[in-house]
Amino acid sequence: MTSAPSPALPLNLSQEVSLLTAALVDVDSVSGGETPLADAVEAALRAQTSLEVTRDGDAIVARSRLGHSDRVILAGHLDTVPLPATAGARGTVPSSWDGTPGEGVLWGRGTTDMKGGVAVQLALAARLFPSNAGTAHDGAGAPAAAATAGRDVTFVFYDHEEVEAAKSGLGRLALNRPDLLAGDFAILLEPTNGTVEGGCNGTLRVEATTVGEAAHSARAWMGKNAIHAAAPILARLAAYEPATVTVDGLDYRESLNAVGISGGTAGNVIPDRCVVTINYRFAPDKSLDEAEALVGALLDGFDVVRTDGAPGARPGLTHPAAAAFVAVVGREPLPKYGWTDVARFSELGVPAVNFGPGDALLAHKDDERVAAEDIRACLSALEVWLTA
């Protein structure tokens, strides 16, 4: 269920970046309801930057054409998960502040995942590529000397990231307009606490099914209990020791877990079917088929069917642009354990990393929040790198 779209006020891309984040949060954009925010983002980019703007559904792509030899992509999604159902939760819409607005902590749905990152994208677009009639600003709201981008930049804002992959706005762009996603290196501004996180684990979901024979539970010996027959599946999963795999210098921890189980039709009937749903988060050294083969071998003798999956992405840190960016950030890069859209860029042949403001552990939580200073630090690092 999606919430009703809320009207969007015009966005001022030159205001202080954490205040811009608050303005984005205040536009409710639960997956399926991104249109008002997409409208506001498109209008602001067309009016306040010199970028070439293209729209596909609720995805917006804004590209510079400075003629540089390399092009980097900065990408972020516009949608959020549903608003909290808990009374009094602060990770909701509209946003609220602890302390002085622009100086304290900003609370609200999407502050971490990932409207702080989207605000950084928009601030950079206005700062590096101001409209001919506009004035460049420093991301803190004050006029500044125009910065010069040392690379061409593509800004990608897309819909439907928080739902099933088939609805992904980035996936739709890859199918409809892959030319818009061409580049030498990409950064996805997902929350990473301001640390570069390389690549991502892949994800595989399978169902393991056992079949029994129904009977009245008072005469259980006349049937065969399919739920009992699933016990060896759970035992093998519990005994399995997930690997830690080193890929291009980063250690990716895998995990393999039962995440759901269903079976039975009534309280007095021996169940004749049981389905165990299993999720495998696998290191980017494996293909999706290889991951499926590993699970199939572990559960040999059972009916195992893939229901969903996406490959991971290698770190991408060997690209010169990535190395230069890591040097600017000044922190040791880490692996990304969760799946992110860097994998989509990897499939397109574009090495990609995750880098954005906010703590990923706060994403989707009722107390979702981000510090204003963390958003400014992310903006500063990206601007230094892009103008070098």
Side-chain angles (χ1 to χ4, degrees), residues 3 20 53 73 85 123 142 170 216 249 374:
S3 56
L20 177 57
V53 179
I73 302 169
L170 187 60
H216 196 294
D374 291 347

Side-chain angles (χ1 to χ4, degrees), residues 207-272:
E207 291 182 346
T209 302
T210 56
V211 177
E213 183 179 350
H216 196 294
S217 60
R219 294 177 291 278
W221 60 87
M222 298 298 293
K224 181 181 178 183
N225 193 312
I227 293 178
H228 292 180
I233 295 174
L234 299 178
R236 294 184 198 182
L237 291 171
Y240 179 77
E241 295 188 5
T244 296
V245 182
T246 301
V247 181
D248 297 343
L250 298 183
D251 294 334
Y252 291 84
R253 295 182 62 179
E254 297 190 333
S255 62
L256 178 62
N257 293 280
V259 294
I261 186 166
S262 62
T265 58
N268 60 354
V269 178
I270 298 299
D272 62 356

Side-chain angles (χ1 to χ4, degrees), residues 36-385:
L37 182 55
D39 290 346
V41 168
E42 179 187 15
L45 289 169
R46 291 189 184 280
Q48 300 173 48
T49 79
S50 58
L51 298 166
E52 177 185 274
V53 179
T54 304
R55 182 159 176 171
D56 183 295
D58 283 334
I60 297 108
V61 180
R63 291 163 48 92
S64 70
R65 291 192 175 277
L66 300 180
H68 289 301
S69 60
D70 63 337
R71 175 176 292 277
V72 298
I73 302 169
L74 302 182
H77 60 85
L78 299 175
D79 61 323
T80 72
V81 297
L83 304 185
T86 304
R90 294 187 66 185
T92 189
V93 173
S95 61
S96 60
W97 286 91
D98 275 351
T100 304
E103 295 297 333
V105 175
L106 175 66
W107 299 67
R109 177 59 82 224
T111 48
T112 290
D113 190 14
M114 58 170 290
K115 291 184 177 179
V118 170
V120 169
Q121 290 176 265
L122 291 169
L124 285 167
R127 172 76 180 100
L128 300 180
F129 307 101
S131 65
N132 292 334
T135 301
H137 285 68
D138 66 358
T148 302
R151 299 174 169 88
D152 269 306
V153 184
T154 297
F155 298 89
V156 183
F157 308 87
Y158 58 98
D159 56 291
H160 285 93
E161 191 272 348
E162 298 288 6
V163 291
E164 57 267 32
K167 294 182 178 180
S168 167
L170 187 60
R172 186 181 65 250
L173 282 171
L175 288 174
N176 294 347
R177 293 294 308 271
D179 57 302
L180 295 178
L181 301 181
D184 300 288
F185 178 60
I187 297 176
L188 189 66
L189 279 85
E190 289 277 8
T192 66
N193 265 334
T195 297
V196 175
E197 294 184 348
C200 67
N201 276 342
T203 182
L204 169 71
R205 188 162 60 244
V206 301
E207 291 182 346
T209 302
T210 56
V211 177
E213 183 179 350
H216 196 294
S217 60
R219 294 177 291 278
W221 60 87
M222 298 298 293
K224 181 181 178 183
N225 193 312
I227 293 178
H228 292 180
I233 295 174
L234 299 178
R236 294 184 198 182
L237 291 171
Y240 179 77
E241 295 188 5
T244 296
V245 182
T246 301
V247 181
D248 297 343
L250 298 183
D251 294 334
Y252 291 84
R253 295 182 62 179
E254 297 190 333
S255 62
L256 178 62
N257 293 280
V259 294
I261 186 166
S262 62
T265 58
N268 60 354
V269 178
I270 298 299
D272 62 356
R273 188 171 186 270
C274 179
V275 178
V276 180
T277 302
I278 299 160
N279 181 227
Y280 179 30
R281 298 296 178 125
F282 57 93
D285 66 324
K286 299 178 184 66
S287 68
L288 192 56
D289 288 341
E290 289 170 334
E292 184 177 8
L294 184 148
V295 176
L298 178 68
L299 301 179
D300 185 39
F302 293 96
D303 179 25
V304 179
V305 176
R306 181 201 301 183
T307 59
D308 194 16
R314 300 185 74 90
L317 299 177
T318 57
H319 191 280
F325 183 54
V326 169
V328 167
V329 173
R331 300 181 184 178
E332 281 294 317
L334 299 172
K336 189 72 170 179
Y337 295 132
W339 187 90
T340 73
D341 277 316
V342 296
R344 294 189 186 275
F345 286 108
S346 181
E347 286 186 301
L348 293 170
V350 181
V353 300
N354 304 277
F355 175 79
D359 184 349
L361 296 180
L362 294 174
H364 305 182
K365 291 180 68 66
D366 287 357
D367 59 351
E368 186 174 356
R369 60 195 184 274
V370 67
E373 184 55 38
D374 291 347
I375 306 173
R376 285 192 289 271
C378 178
L379 171 63
S380 175
L382 281 164
E383 184 170 6
V384 167
W385 173 65

